[in-house]
Amino acid sequence: MIARKGLLRALVTRRLAVVAALWLGLAGSMAAAQQPAAKVDLFTITGVKVDVTAQSASAARNQALAEGQRKAFDLLMRRLLRQEDRASLPPVEPVTLNALIQGLEIFNERTSSVRYLADFTVRFDGARVQNYLRIRGVPFSQTAGRPVLVVPVMETAGLRLLWEEENAWRAAWNGHDLKNRLLTFLLPKGDADDRRILAASQALDMESPSVARLASRYGVDRVITPVLEVSRDFVTGGLKARVDMI
């Protein structure tokens, strides 16, 4: 029974992750339109995870370096370009990609005889990236909005879930890269301090001093609350969901 509940929760979380991805785009457009640009290093991509297995440790590391740099470039293009422009951009050649990279930092490096795992931070040369895109006639963004704190709330069976483990809506948001975007999103840690600052009953009141205190803790001046309402569909016997943004 426990295993079945765990499987159901995993399936729900995966489906909600797709919904969260759609709302990331919408929330980004809404929030960016309502606030001024911030000084953000648009050309630095953080938290790029690599996990490569090859015939030897050195081969795995070399492959991971190439894979990580390409992942970072893809994330940079997602940050700077519209989706339709990303689709029209041809794959970058390895030599060109190397020329666009200014620096690489490696964190949490772990190796075995055939495996290499690490987290990369990749810094691109802004002027060269901009020139690369101009030559190809691709429009790109040059400014970023201030970070926004996302507080996902799930309402189901008369309960309002915020920090609880059963909040699959929060888990779905947590499964996305919220940092490497034109508009940076932050997700609260959900630790003891967060729980003391904000209760689920206060989360939908944007005028609440508790919301302001949570925003202050994370150094932001804007909070958005995507609310997922889950209810029983008595026609089909299944579940139905509705998402609102506060």
Side-chain angles (χ1 to χ4, degrees):
M1 185 65 177
I2 295 177
R4 185 177 179 183
K5 286 185 177 179
L7 178 60
L8 179 59
R9 184 173 184 274
L11 290 172
V12 170
T13 300
R14 281 201 294 269
R15 291 184 179 181
L16 291 181
V18 177
V19 179
L22 296 174
W23 274 87
L24 271 171
L26 178 58
S29 301
M30 292 171 61
Q34 298 179 35
Q35 57 181 331
K39 292 183 178 179
V40 176
D41 186 354
L42 291 179
F43 300 97
T44 295
I45 301 298
T46 62
V48 180
K49 297 185 179 297
V50 291
D51 182 353
V52 174
T53 300
Q55 293 182 343
S56 66
S58 60
R61 187 177 191 277
N62 291 337
Q63 185 178 331
L65 287 171
E67 180 180 306
Q69 290 173 358
R70 184 167 293 278
K71 279 185 178 180
F73 181 77
D74 291 341
L75 289 170
L76 180 65
M77 293 301 99
R78 187 185 69 179
R79 171 184 282 177
L80 299 180
L81 308 183
R82 298 176 302 181
Q83 183 175 353
E84 57 267 30
D85 293 323
R86 292 201 308 270
S88 66
L89 191 67
V92 61
E93 296 294 329
V95 174
T96 302
L97 177 57
N98 288 336
L100 297 177
I101 293 175
Q102 191 174 58
L104 172 70
E105 293 182 76
I106 301 176
F107 304 92
N108 304 320
E109 189 175 41
R110 290 154 290 166
T111 61
S112 71
S113 59
V114 294
R115 190 180 180 190
Y116 181 88
L117 302 91
D119 298 334
F120 293 164
T121 290
V122 183
R123 295 188 303 277
F124 290 88
D125 186 309
R128 290 185 177 182
V129 170
Q130 291 175 341
N131 188 55
Y132 170 83
L133 295 173
R134 286 193 187 101
I135 290 175
R136 287 155 181 79
V138 179
F140 56 89
S141 299
Q142 301 185 59
T143 57
R146 298 180 185 278
V148 175
L149 189 67
V150 181
V151 183
V153 172
M154 182 173 174
E155 295 187 339
T156 179
L159 298 176
R160 181 176 295 171
L161 305 177
L162 177 55
W163 309 119
E164 293 82 1
E165 184 179 352
E166 293 79 10
N167 187 353
W169 185 223
R170 173 180 163 81
W173 280 81
N174 196 39
H176 287 281
D177 177 6
L178 303 178
K179 293 183 178 180
N180 293 311
R181 297 175 176 273
L182 188 61
L183 181 67
T184 300
F185 293 94
L186 303 176
L187 197 69
K189 299 174 184 177
D191 58 13
D193 288 336
D194 284 346
R195 293 168 185 262
R196 279 193 294 266
I197 291 172
L198 184 68
S201 60
Q202 303 165 316
L204 304 190
D205 181 6
M206 289 295 103
E207 302 301 322
S208 169
S210 296
V211 173
R213 284 197 294 271
L214 189 68
S216 177
R217 184 189 185 199
Y218 289 92
V220 303
D221 52 21
R222 179 160 172 75
V223 178
I224 60 173
T225 304
V227 182
L228 176 70
E229 298 180 25
V230 179
S231 59
R232 178 69 62 184
D233 187 331
F234 294 102
V235 176
T236 65
L239 296 176
K240 59 181 180 180
R242 188 183 75 178
V243 180
D244 294 317
M245 183 81 74
I246 296 177

mmCIF file of all heavy atoms in Angstrom, residues 49-68 71 110-118 120:
data_model
loop_
_atom_site.group_PDB
_atom_site.id
_atom_site.type_symbol
_atom_site.label_atom_id
_atom_site.label_comp_id
_atom_site.label_asym_id
_atom_site.label_seq_id
_atom_site.Cartn_x
_atom_site.Cartn_y
_atom_site.Cartn_z
ATOM 1 N N LYS A 49 24.682 19.937 -14.082
ATOM 2 C CA LYS A 49 25.056 18.623 -13.553
ATOM 3 C C LYS A 49 25.471 17.680 -14.686
ATOM 4 O O LYS A 49 24.805 17.616 -15.719
ATOM 5 C CB LYS A 49 23.899 18.003 -12.770
ATOM 6 C CG LYS A 49 23.518 18.807 -11.537
ATOM 7 C CD LYS A 49 22.451 18.090 -10.723
ATOM 8 C CE LYS A 49 22.092 18.888 -9.493
ATOM 9 N NZ LYS A 49 23.241 19.035 -8.564
ATOM 10 N N VAL A 50 26.560 16.963 -14.466
ATOM 11 C CA VAL A 50 27.009 15.965 -15.440
ATOM 12 C C VAL A 50 27.240 14.640 -14.730
ATOM 13 O O VAL A 50 27.663 14.606 -13.568
ATOM 14 C CB VAL A 50 28.306 16.403 -16.164
ATOM 15 C CG1 VAL A 50 28.042 17.591 -17.082
ATOM 16 C CG2 VAL A 50 29.396 16.759 -15.156
ATOM 17 N N ASP A 51 26.947 13.561 -15.418
ATOM 18 C CA ASP A 51 27.134 12.214 -14.883
ATOM 19 C C ASP A 51 27.421 11.320 -16.078
ATOM 20 O O ASP A 51 26.522 10.946 -16.829
ATOM 21 C CB ASP A 51 25.882 11.753 -14.137
ATOM 22 C CG ASP A 51 26.043 10.369 -13.515
ATOM 23 O OD1 ASP A 51 27.066 9.707 -13.779
ATOM 24 O OD2 ASP A 51 25.134 9.947 -12.774
ATOM 25 N N VAL A 52 28.690 11.003 -16.271
ATOM 26 C CA VAL A 52 29.112 10.286 -17.482
ATOM 27 C C VAL A 52 29.890 9.038 -17.101
ATOM 28 O O VAL A 52 30.760 9.064 -16.222
ATOM 29 C CB VAL A 52 29.988 11.194 -18.379
ATOM 30 C CG1 VAL A 52 30.541 10.402 -19.558
ATOM 31 C CG2 VAL A 52 29.182 12.391 -18.865
ATOM 32 N N THR A 53 29.579 7.945 -17.775
ATOM 33 C CA THR A 53 30.328 6.696 -17.637
ATOM 34 C C THR A 53 30.994 6.374 -18.968
ATOM 35 O O THR A 53 30.361 6.442 -20.021
ATOM 36 C CB THR A 53 29.401 5.542 -17.227
ATOM 37 O OG1 THR A 53 28.784 5.853 -15.973
ATOM 38 C CG2 THR A 53 30.172 4.246 -17.098
ATOM 39 N N ALA A 54 32.282 6.049 -18.930
ATOM 40 C CA ALA A 54 33.037 5.746 -20.151
ATOM 41 C C ALA A 54 34.017 4.613 -19.853
ATOM 42 O O ALA A 54 33.958 3.984 -18.785
ATOM 43 C CB ALA A 54 33.760 6.989 -20.657
ATOM 44 N N GLN A 55 34.922 4.368 -20.777
ATOM 45 C CA GLN A 55 35.852 3.248 -20.615
ATOM 46 C C GLN A 55 36.916 3.515 -19.562
ATOM 47 O O GLN A 55 37.522 2.578 -19.035
ATOM 48 C CB GLN A 55 36.510 2.928 -21.959
ATOM 49 C CG GLN A 55 35.534 2.375 -22.993
ATOM 50 C CD GLN A 55 36.211 2.031 -24.303
ATOM 51 O OE1 GLN A 55 37.331 2.466 -24.578
ATOM 52 N NE2 GLN A 55 35.547 1.227 -25.114
ATOM 53 N N SER A 56 37.164 4.776 -19.263
ATOM 54 C CA SER A 56 38.163 5.138 -18.261
ATOM 55 C C SER A 56 37.745 6.435 -17.579
ATOM 56 O O SER A 56 36.856 7.152 -18.062
ATOM 57 C CB SER A 56 39.542 5.316 -18.894
ATOM 58 O OG SER A 56 39.539 6.440 -19.774
ATOM 59 N N ALA A 57 38.400 6.742 -16.458
ATOM 60 C CA ALA A 57 38.072 7.962 -15.729
ATOM 61 C C ALA A 57 38.379 9.197 -16.563
ATOM 62 O O ALA A 57 37.602 10.161 -16.570
ATOM 63 C CB ALA A 57 38.858 7.999 -14.418
ATOM 64 N N SER A 58 39.509 9.193 -17.264
ATOM 65 C CA SER A 58 39.879 10.359 -18.074
ATOM 66 C C SER A 58 38.919 10.550 -19.237
ATOM 67 O O SER A 58 38.544 11.680 -19.572
ATOM 68 C CB SER A 58 41.312 10.211 -18.589
ATOM 69 O OG SER A 58 41.440 9.043 -19.400
ATOM 70 N N ALA A 59 38.486 9.446 -19.850
ATOM 71 C CA ALA A 59 37.535 9.544 -20.958
ATOM 72 C C ALA A 59 36.191 10.065 -20.459
ATOM 73 O O ALA A 59 35.543 10.888 -21.120
ATOM 74 C CB ALA A 59 37.370 8.184 -21.622
ATOM 75 N N ALA A 60 35.772 9.595 -19.274
ATOM 76 C CA ALA A 60 34.515 10.059 -18.710
ATOM 77 C C ALA A 60 34.591 11.552 -18.394
ATOM 78 O O ALA A 60 33.629 12.298 -18.645
ATOM 79 C CB ALA A 60 34.189 9.262 -17.443
ATOM 80 N N ARG A 61 35.725 12.008 -17.869
ATOM 81 C CA ARG A 61 35.871 13.430 -17.538
ATOM 82 C C ARG A 61 35.840 14.288 -18.806
ATOM 83 O O ARG A 61 35.178 15.334 -18.848
ATOM 84 C CB ARG A 61 37.175 13.664 -16.776
ATOM 85 C CG ARG A 61 37.316 15.086 -16.243
ATOM 86 C CD ARG A 61 38.592 15.248 -15.433
ATOM 87 N NE ARG A 61 38.599 16.520 -14.725
ATOM 88 C CZ ARG A 61 38.970 17.679 -15.259
ATOM 89 N NH1 ARG A 61 39.341 17.712 -16.544
ATOM 90 N NH2 ARG A 61 38.959 18.790 -14.549
ATOM 91 N N ASN A 62 36.560 13.868 -19.828
ATOM 92 C CA ASN A 62 36.585 14.636 -21.078
ATOM 93 C C ASN A 62 35.192 14.723 -21.697
ATOM 94 O O ASN A 62 34.772 15.775 -22.188
ATOM 95 C CB ASN A 62 37.573 14.009 -22.066
ATOM 96 C CG ASN A 62 39.017 14.169 -21.637
ATOM 97 O OD1 ASN A 62 39.344 15.078 -20.853
ATOM 98 N ND2 ASN A 62 39.887 13.290 -22.119
ATOM 99 N N GLN A 63 34.493 13.601 -21.686
ATOM 100 C CA GLN A 63 33.130 13.588 -22.241
ATOM 101 C C GLN A 63 32.199 14.477 -21.408
ATOM 102 O O GLN A 63 31.348 15.187 -21.955
ATOM 103 C CB GLN A 63 32.605 12.153 -22.277
ATOM 104 C CG GLN A 63 31.241 12.011 -22.946
ATOM 105 C CD GLN A 63 30.777 10.566 -23.016
ATOM 106 O OE1 GLN A 63 31.593 9.641 -23.071
ATOM 107 N NE2 GLN A 63 29.462 10.369 -22.982
ATOM 108 N N ALA A 64 32.386 14.440 -20.079
ATOM 109 C CA ALA A 64 31.551 15.257 -19.196
ATOM 110 C C ALA A 64 31.807 16.747 -19.415
ATOM 111 O O ALA A 64 30.867 17.554 -19.393
ATOM 112 C CB ALA A 64 31.821 14.883 -17.744
ATOM 113 N N LEU A 65 33.052 17.126 -19.631
ATOM 114 C CA LEU A 65 33.372 18.529 -19.889
ATOM 115 C C LEU A 65 32.674 19.019 -21.153
ATOM 116 O O LEU A 65 32.069 20.099 -21.168
ATOM 117 C CB LEU A 65 34.885 18.712 -20.015
ATOM 118 C CG LEU A 65 35.687 18.624 -18.711
ATOM 119 C CD1 LEU A 65 37.180 18.606 -19.001
ATOM 120 C CD2 LEU A 65 35.344 19.778 -17.788
ATOM 121 N N ALA A 66 32.738 18.215 -22.195
ATOM 122 C CA ALA A 66 32.081 18.599 -23.443
ATOM 123 C C ALA A 66 30.571 18.650 -23.275
ATOM 124 O O ALA A 66 29.906 19.590 -23.740
ATOM 125 C CB ALA A 66 32.471 17.610 -24.548
ATOM 126 N N GLU A 67 30.012 17.664 -22.582
ATOM 127 C CA GLU A 67 28.561 17.613 -22.367
ATOM 128 C C GLU A 67 28.093 18.770 -21.495
ATOM 129 O O GLU A 67 27.056 19.399 -21.771
ATOM 130 C CB GLU A 67 28.203 16.281 -21.719
ATOM 131 C CG GLU A 67 26.718 16.094 -21.450
ATOM 132 C CD GLU A 67 26.414 14.754 -20.794
ATOM 133 O OE1 GLU A 67 26.826 13.720 -21.357
ATOM 134 O OE2 GLU A 67 25.791 14.753 -19.713
ATOM 135 N N GLY A 68 28.842 19.066 -20.439
ATOM 136 C CA GLY A 68 28.467 20.149 -19.542
ATOM 137 C C GLY A 68 28.500 21.505 -20.217
ATOM 138 O O GLY A 68 27.618 22.347 -19.996
ATOM 139 N N LYS A 71 25.459 21.727 -22.464
ATOM 140 C CA LYS A 71 24.256 21.945 -21.648
ATOM 141 C C LYS A 71 24.168 23.399 -21.216
ATOM 142 O O LYS A 71 23.096 24.019 -21.244
ATOM 143 C CB LYS A 71 24.287 21.042 -20.402
ATOM 144 C CG LYS A 71 23.847 19.615 -20.630
ATOM 145 C CD LYS A 71 23.811 18.890 -19.284
ATOM 146 C CE LYS A 71 23.319 17.461 -19.424
ATOM 147 N NZ LYS A 71 23.279 16.765 -18.102
ATOM 148 N N ARG A 110 33.231 14.028 -8.363
ATOM 149 C CA ARG A 110 33.379 12.660 -7.882
ATOM 150 C C ARG A 110 33.770 11.766 -9.055
ATOM 151 O O ARG A 110 33.232 11.908 -10.147
ATOM 152 C CB ARG A 110 32.073 12.161 -7.270
ATOM 153 C CG ARG A 110 31.697 12.817 -5.939
ATOM 154 C CD ARG A 110 30.223 12.791 -5.708
ATOM 155 N NE ARG A 110 29.522 13.696 -6.622
ATOM 156 C CZ ARG A 110 28.217 13.685 -6.836
ATOM 157 N NH1 ARG A 110 27.460 12.789 -6.231
ATOM 158 N NH2 ARG A 110 27.667 14.562 -7.642
ATOM 159 N N THR A 111 34.678 10.856 -8.808
ATOM 160 C CA THR A 111 35.160 9.999 -9.883
ATOM 161 C C THR A 111 35.299 8.554 -9.409
ATOM 162 O O THR A 111 35.428 8.278 -8.220
ATOM 163 C CB THR A 111 36.534 10.460 -10.409
ATOM 164 O OG1 THR A 111 37.494 10.398 -9.335
ATOM 165 C CG2 THR A 111 36.467 11.888 -10.936
ATOM 166 N N SER A 112 35.235 7.652 -10.376
ATOM 167 C CA SER A 112 35.582 6.253 -10.145
ATOM 168 C C SER A 112 36.445 5.842 -11.337
ATOM 169 O O SER A 112 36.868 6.682 -12.129
ATOM 170 C CB SER A 112 34.320 5.390 -10.046
ATOM 171 O OG SER A 112 33.702 5.275 -11.318
ATOM 172 N N SER A 113 36.674 4.571 -11.495
ATOM 173 C CA SER A 113 37.530 4.111 -12.587
ATOM 174 C C SER A 113 36.891 4.346 -13.958
ATOM 175 O O SER A 113 37.583 4.428 -14.965
ATOM 176 C CB SER A 113 37.860 2.634 -12.411
ATOM 177 O OG SER A 113 36.661 1.865 -12.381
ATOM 178 N N VAL A 114 35.546 4.462 -13.996
ATOM 179 C CA VAL A 114 34.875 4.617 -15.291
ATOM 180 C C VAL A 114 33.802 5.720 -15.283
ATOM 181 O O VAL A 114 33.141 5.938 -16.293
ATOM 182 C CB VAL A 114 34.209 3.291 -15.734
ATOM 183 C CG1 VAL A 114 35.261 2.220 -16.007
ATOM 184 C CG2 VAL A 114 33.204 2.818 -14.688
ATOM 185 N N ARG A 115 33.646 6.406 -14.145
ATOM 186 C CA ARG A 115 32.532 7.348 -14.029
ATOM 187 C C ARG A 115 33.013 8.701 -13.523
ATOM 188 O O ARG A 115 33.953 8.785 -12.734
ATOM 189 C CB ARG A 115 31.473 6.778 -13.079
ATOM 190 C CG ARG A 115 30.155 7.534 -13.054
ATOM 191 C CD ARG A 115 29.197 6.860 -12.083
ATOM 192 N NE ARG A 115 27.906 7.545 -12.018
ATOM 193 C CZ ARG A 115 26.962 7.271 -11.117
ATOM 194 N NH1 ARG A 115 27.174 6.308 -10.213
ATOM 195 N NH2 ARG A 115 25.821 7.931 -11.126
ATOM 196 N N TYR A 116 32.325 9.764 -13.988
ATOM 197 C CA TYR A 116 32.662 11.120 -13.565
ATOM 198 C C TYR A 116 31.372 11.896 -13.311
ATOM 199 O O TYR A 116 30.482 11.951 -14.166
ATOM 200 C CB TYR A 116 33.485 11.837 -14.645
ATOM 201 C CG TYR A 116 33.887 13.242 -14.269
ATOM 202 C CD1 TYR A 116 35.061 13.490 -13.569
ATOM 203 C CD2 TYR A 116 33.078 14.324 -14.607
ATOM 204 C CE1 TYR A 116 35.434 14.778 -13.209
ATOM 205 C CE2 TYR A 116 33.432 15.616 -14.252
ATOM 206 C CZ TYR A 116 34.618 15.839 -13.550
ATOM 207 O OH TYR A 116 34.968 17.120 -13.201
ATOM 208 N N LEU A 117 31.255 12.503 -12.118
ATOM 209 C CA LEU A 117 30.104 13.314 -11.759
ATOM 210 C C LEU A 117 30.597 14.655 -11.229
ATOM 211 O O LEU A 117 31.598 14.715 -10.499
ATOM 212 C CB LEU A 117 29.251 12.642 -10.677
ATOM 213 C CG LEU A 117 28.679 11.253 -10.941
ATOM 214 C CD1 LEU A 117 29.636 10.165 -10.460
ATOM 215 C CD2 LEU A 117 27.338 11.099 -10.224
ATOM 216 N N ALA A 118 29.890 15.722 -11.561
ATOM 217 C CA ALA A 118 30.269 17.044 -11.070
ATOM 218 C C ALA A 118 29.167 18.048 -11.373
ATOM 219 O O ALA A 118 28.220 17.761 -12.116
ATOM 220 C CB ALA A 118 31.581 17.494 -11.711
ATOM 221 N N PHE A 120 28.890 22.045 -12.766
ATOM 222 C CA PHE A 120 29.683 23.069 -13.440
ATOM 223 C C PHE A 120 29.023 24.432 -13.321
ATOM 224 O O PHE A 120 27.794 24.561 -13.344
ATOM 225 C CB PHE A 120 29.841 22.760 -14.939
ATOM 226 C CG PHE A 120 30.665 21.542 -15.254
ATOM 227 C CD1 PHE A 120 30.622 20.971 -16.519
ATOM 228 C CD2 PHE A 120 31.476 20.949 -14.301
ATOM 229 C CE1 PHE A 120 31.368 19.852 -16.836
ATOM 230 C CE2 PHE A 120 32.225 19.828 -14.600
ATOM 231 C CZ PHE A 120 32.180 19.276 -15.870
#
